[in-house]
Amino acid sequence: SKSTGGVVAIPTPMIMEWWDVDSLLPYKLKKEVVAMEGRAVTLRATNRMNLLKSSKSKTGTSSEKKDEDGMDAESKEQKQTQDLTQKCAAAASISNSKTYKLVQHPAPVKPPNAPTEDALAPTLHLTKKEMKRQRKLRRAEKQRELQDLQAAGLISAPEPKLTLSNFMRVLGDQAVMDPSKMEAKVMEQVQGRKQKHEKMNADRQLSKEQRSEKRDRKLTEDTSQAVSVALFLVKDMSHRYHRTKVDLNAQQNKITGGVLECEMPKMSLVICEGGAKAIKRYVRLMLVRMKWKGENFMEADESEDEHENEDNEEGQKQKFNSENSCELVWQGMAPKRMFRTFVFQTCETSEVARKVLEAKGVAHFWDQVLVHASGSGESFNFKLGDGDMESGDEDIVMKESF
């Protein structure tokens, strides 16, 4: 070309990019690559100067001789370049980089609730209209197959479906000649269809054991990878209604944990461990469904107290605390269950309650409840003491099932 003076430009770099040379090649090969590129640049400049001189000279023999010398030098350079390229490709390694050891490659760690199996393909759900259309098409296809079999004589045609409204039209003369007999025949057929329908429903109905297994299967969740945890702060858990509902729902939802009641200060900590769905249902029970102040029972209690016998102390009903409340302190995930069952336990002081939870490795649950309670009002403005253990605290032993 005119811009290069007839000399074909060789793209640089000849071996590899400069950042690859610095990070992949050893020191000796780096020097060889740099020297090769320097000679290539010098050779291109020399060939260009010779080309310009030959165009100005008038003698052709000298120019042909110089051209032959330039061609020999270029072929020799190309061969050396190919040899060096193969040598660099064989010796290239990331371990030659100075910063290789400074870059860390930590092993990926899956979260505790990561699924162990492959993700299922998304399911495309049909609309009500589409489901009706698909059912209609399936039933039409099935009826068409039956008609083809009847036309081929492989199966006999079914008896006409008789009812009290259509048997005169279907039977025709037979119904006119003996209507009582035909009506009895119609009622027999109707009763047969009804019995068949009831028998099919009874066959599909699950037994008591199967219903129990199905209910347990729906409530059972896999907690081997992670466990959902919820903490509740309740002011008063002394009423039988509250204790029964809390305990019964925990057993039904396969929830472990317990209720830790503290006398001083007056408060209760409810710890729940279980599957995500079970904890969701339990949170709704504690915050929405449960009547902590006995809203629907106050009027009934007052009316019954008027007619109640004062001498019969055992028959008196337990009254609700009008200032009772329940708050969700924390809800999150834990790697495993820390409790085996769901039980109730009473402690006299805050220090004793913390030691009870410390034996299970969850003393921070009590600290978190104290922080939450201290900011909820002046009546809960207290701090956990750092004093020495009392004489009675040395004999603290947790319940075996807690």
Side-chain angles (χ1 to χ4, degrees):
S1 62
K2 294 182 180 180
S3 60
T4 59
V7 178
V8 178
I10 301 176
T12 56
M14 302 174 61
I15 308 300
M16 58 178 65
E17 299 292 344
W18 62 268
W19 50 81
D20 292 333
V21 171
D22 186 59
S23 60
L24 298 179
L25 298 181
Y27 180 73
K28 292 183 178 180
L29 277 180
K30 290 180 188 177
K31 294 181 66 176
E32 293 184 14
V33 171
V34 172
M36 174 65 70
E37 291 183 353
R39 288 196 300 271
V41 172
T42 303
L43 182 60
R44 285 199 299 272
T46 303
N47 291 340
R48 185 169 182 179
M49 294 298 295
N50 294 335
L51 186 62
L52 292 176
K53 290 180 181 180
S54 63
S55 61
K56 294 179 181 180
S57 62
K58 297 181 181 180
T59 58
T61 56
S62 59
S63 61
E64 292 178 358
K65 185 177 180 181
K66 291 179 181 179
D67 290 342
E68 291 178 358
D69 296 339
M71 292 295 294
D72 294 340
E74 289 182 1
S75 61
K76 185 178 180 181
E77 181 190 6
Q78 290 178 1
K79 184 177 180 182
Q80 292 178 355
T81 303
Q82 292 177 359
D83 296 341
L84 186 59
T85 302
Q86 295 177 359
K87 191 175 180 181
C88 291
S93 176
I94 190 66
S95 60
N96 295 321
S97 176
K98 296 180 180 179
T99 59
Y100 171 70
K101 296 182 180 180
L102 303 178
V103 180
Q104 298 182 2
H105 303 277
V109 179
K110 292 184 178 181
N113 58 344
T116 56
E117 300 178 356
D118 296 337
L120 299 177
T123 305
L124 178 62
H125 297 280
L126 301 178
T127 62
K128 290 290 184 180
K129 188 175 181 181
E130 292 172 340
M131 292 171 65
K132 289 181 179 179
R133 178 172 176 80
Q134 292 295 328
R135 181 175 181 269
K136 181 179 179 181
L137 293 176
R138 287 196 304 269
R139 290 167 64 89
E141 182 66 23
K142 185 177 180 180
Q143 187 66 23
R144 193 178 302 110
E145 292 178 358
L146 290 176
Q147 291 176 357
D148 294 341
L149 294 176
Q150 293 170 11
L154 299 177
I155 59 175
S156 60
E159 294 183 0
K161 186 177 180 180
L162 300 176
T163 61
L164 293 176
S165 60
N166 70 349
F167 80 97
M168 293 293 294
R169 184 175 63 255
V170 174
L171 298 177
D173 295 340
Q174 296 180 6
V176 175
M177 293 174 60
D178 195 352
S180 300
K181 182 179 179 181
M182 294 299 103
E183 184 178 356
K185 182 179 179 181
V186 171
M187 293 305 298
E188 181 182 358
Q189 198 178 97
V190 170
Q191 290 297 326
R193 289 197 298 266
K194 183 180 179 181
Q195 292 177 2
K196 181 182 178 182
H197 179 72
E198 292 176 353
K199 184 177 181 301
M200 290 173 61
N201 287 345
D203 294 339
R204 286 196 300 265
Q205 189 176 9
L206 299 177
S207 62
K208 186 177 180 180
E209 293 78 8
Q210 290 174 339
R211 287 197 301 270
S212 178
E213 291 178 1
K214 182 179 178 181
R215 183 168 56 252
D216 293 342
R217 189 167 58 251
K218 290 177 66 177
L219 295 177
T220 303
E221 300 182 55
D222 183 18
T223 57
S224 59
Q225 298 294 327
V227 180
S228 297
V229 183
L231 305 179
F232 300 93
L233 172 63
V234 183
K235 288 186 179 180
D236 187 6
M237 278 288 294
S238 59
H239 202 280
R240 291 188 300 270
Y241 165 75
H242 299 148
R243 298 173 73 90
T244 303
K245 294 278 284 185
V246 167
D247 189 16
L248 186 61
N249 281 270
Q251 303 298 336
Q252 291 175 349
N253 289 284
K254 304 292 191 299
I255 290 177
T256 59
V259 178
L260 187 60
E261 299 176 271
C262 184
E263 297 294 339
M264 190 62 189
K266 186 67 175 178
M267 58 182 294
S268 300
L269 168 62
V270 182
I271 305 173
C272 307
E273 296 177 337
K277 294 182 180 178
I279 295 299
K280 183 179 179 181
R281 289 191 295 267
Y282 206 83
V283 168
R284 175 172 173 79
L285 167 73
M286 299 290 285
L287 301 181
V288 180
R289 293 170 51 200
M290 189 79 78
K291 307 300 180 184
W292 293 105
K293 299 180 181 181
E295 294 85 351
N296 298 337
F297 305 97
M298 297 298 290
E299 298 179 359
D301 292 343
E302 292 177 0
S303 62
E304 291 179 2
D305 288 341
E306 296 177 358
H307 305 284
E308 189 178 352
N309 186 5
E310 297 180 357
D311 297 335
N312 188 7
E313 297 180 357
E314 296 180 359
Q316 292 182 357
K317 286 196 173 182
Q318 189 177 7
K319 292 185 178 181
F320 287 92
N321 186 357
S322 59
E323 298 181 356
N324 197 8
S325 64
C326 176
E327 300 176 8
L328 178 62
V329 178
W330 176 77
Q331 184 177 1
M333 304 293 294
K336 62 179 181 179
R337 293 179 185 262
M338 305 302 293
F339 302 89
R340 291 194 295 271
T341 57
F342 193 91
V343 297
F344 289 76
Q345 188 162 344
T346 304
C347 300
E348 295 182 357
T349 62
S350 177
E351 290 82 356
V352 177
R354 191 181 190 280
K355 290 181 176 66
V356 168
L357 294 180
E358 187 176 3
K360 300 298 292 183
V362 289
H364 56 282
F365 285 176
W366 186 255
D367 297 338
Q368 195 166 2
V369 170
L370 291 181
V371 172
H372 183 84
S374 62
S376 60
E378 295 180 359
S379 59
F380 287 103
N381 189 13
F382 52 82
K383 183 175 69 174
L384 183 63
D386 296 329
D388 297 335
M389 290 179 59
E390 298 180 0
S391 59
D393 294 343
E394 298 177 357
D395 299 332
I396 295 174
V397 179
M398 293 193 59
K399 293 183 180 179
E400 184 65 25
S401 58
F402 190 63

